[in-house]
Structure formats: C-alpha cells, structure tokens
Amino acid sequence: MAQEQPAGDGGTAPDPWDGVELDEDFVRAAETSEPSARARMLAARWRAERPEPQPWRADKPPAGWFFSRSRRRRRRG
C-alpha cells in the first residue's frame, strides 16, 4: 500500500516509512496524550459560559427520610 514517490532522475525513490515498525511498546512509551472528544467539547463550552456549581450528590433523598419519626426514635433511645 505504500506509494513510491518519483525521484528526480526519472526512477522511483523508496518510501522512508517502509522500514518503520510502530509496535505496542513504542505506542505505550509515548509521552503525550490527547484529551478525549468529550473533554475537548466540555472545555470549549465552559470557556464560553461557566457551569453553575452542583453539589457533589445532586440526588435528593425521598421526602421525609431525614426527619422521619422512626429516625427520631432511634436517636433518642
């Protein structure tokens, strides 16, 4: 699949990338990494408009859970 490039003398020059082998060790040793598409999208969105602060846990307990009678009885006794 490597295409040969024409040389100046009318012949074809070999592709310099033909002998290069990019094995798993080479790929894992790379020092740079690119952020995911989702991370780039959120960064761009947040540059334009900062998100509103959210509590760590946004889900609320069921109504009456915290101040229920059974819970009060356990704390007194």
Side-chain angles (χ1 to χ4, degrees):
M1 304 282 163
Q3 296 179 347
E4 295 181 353
Q5 300 171 353
D9 60 355
T12 57
D15 189 3
W17 289 99
D18 281 344
V20 176
E21 182 179 330
L22 304 177
D23 60 353
E24 188 175 350
D25 294 333
F26 174 81
V27 173
R28 291 195 185 277
E31 295 181 12
T32 60
S33 65
E34 184 176 333
S36 66
R38 173 101 174 130
R40 291 191 311 263
M41 179 195 70
L42 290 174
R45 183 185 299 172
W46 293 344
R47 262 185 245 118
E49 182 179 329
R50 293 188 67 136
E52 292 187 22
Q54 297 289 326
W56 178 72
R57 243 191 150 146
D59 55 339
K60 297 178 183 175
W65 175 81
F66 190 75
F67 296 107
S68 66
R69 290 182 190 158
S70 62
R71 193 169 162 86
R72 277 186 271 166
R73 285 185 199 137
R74 273 190 267 149
R75 291 190 76 183
R76 288 183 189 170

